[in-house]
Amino acid sequence: MPDTPRVTIGVPVYNAERYLIGCLDALLAQDYPDFEVVISDNASTDRTWEICQRYAAIDPRIRAYRNPQNLGGHANFARVAELARGELFKWAAYDDVCLPGHLGACVTALDAAGPETVLAYPRTLLIDEEGETIGPYADLMDLRHHRPWRRVAAVASHISLCHAHFGVFRLAALRRTGMIRPYLSSDYTLMAEVAALGEIHEVDQPLFMRRVHGASTRQAKGSNAADASTWFAPQGGRTSGAPRMRMLGETLRVLATAKTPAPTRLANAAAFLGAWSVRRVRVRVGYWRRQLVRHPAPRTAGGSV
């Protein structure tokens, strides 16, 4: 491919044979033509590499690479970004589906918004393992405020299932972040970093279909500790016993040490901590309210009938 494509779609895969063909067919059917697909196979043990080679042989837009050993899911996400040649970049998970207008709508949104916007993503539909629609999901990551700390606070307040990072980034901005890091919920840290760098725009169309199924890593957040350790450190290692506390500490460290003026980075860190703390208090209050409704205090004896 002598010409540099404007967009690179990075597809990190490991033992992805069940859904990979559907993922690649959907990417190749995008109505925005100026893109390449970079696949990095993390030393799969099933037919994944065979599928990658077959698609690379029949479509020149696809470049396929295979790691000599499983580097861990987070490292493979970084690998496809390192191999990207485009000005813009999108991650695609092997088990999700991008509808034909996904890429074009996000690129159009970035072009219309200008360089201060670093990420555009479409609305999300959840689907099951057979592709049946479960329903829409509100990501709430449309962050257009001109003050970075306001955007960072909104990430802490609203992020739950994380889908915005499957939108389209300005690659130069994404490479200023730590991308996916080797700990649970590090996609929260990534989104806080991105919000600190610039605006995030949501495209008002449901063009991303996130598949919910038992074998999904979901960045390993939904798995037990052993599964999470395998996803992040397949050669051995362990994850933190308090994953959300580690995420919080790492996010605050990243925001507070960013290469921005001291008032900006300290405001961003304080905003994330404050919004996250308020959110956790609300969660606990809601929990205890539900407990009281389910198990009301017994009435005392006595009183007139």
Side-chain angles (χ1 to χ4, degrees), residues 187-266:
D187 45 0
Y188 286 24
T189 304
L190 170 62
M191 290 306 301
E193 283 185 280
V194 172
L197 291 174
E199 294 183 13
I200 301 171
H201 286 202
E202 180 181 86
V203 174
D204 191 18
Q205 300 175 61
L207 299 172
F208 175 67
M209 302 176 76
R210 182 266 173 92
R211 193 184 305 272
V212 179
H213 62 100
S216 173
T217 59
R218 289 170 288 173
Q219 307 305 338
K221 289 200 294 289
S223 307
N224 60 36
D227 292 337
S229 295
T230 299
W231 195 85
F232 286 111
Q235 308 307 320
R238 59 185 297 274
T239 58
S240 169
R244 286 299 172 90
M245 288 302 297
R246 179 175 181 185
M247 179 280 297
L248 178 60
E250 293 283 354
T251 303
L252 295 178
R253 179 189 63 78
V254 165
L255 293 172
T257 59
K259 294 180 180 179
T260 55
T264 300
R265 60 177 184 263
L266 294 177

Side-chain angles (χ1 to χ4, degrees), residues 8 23 30 34 38 41-42 53 57 76-77 82 98 112 200 212 219 241 256 281 286 292:
T8 296
C23 167
Q30 292 298 300
D34 191 10
V38 174
D41 177 29
N42 221 359
Q53 289 178 300
N76 211 27
F77 268 70
E82 292 167 0
C98 296
I200 301 171
V212 179
Q219 307 305 338
V281 168
L292 290 174

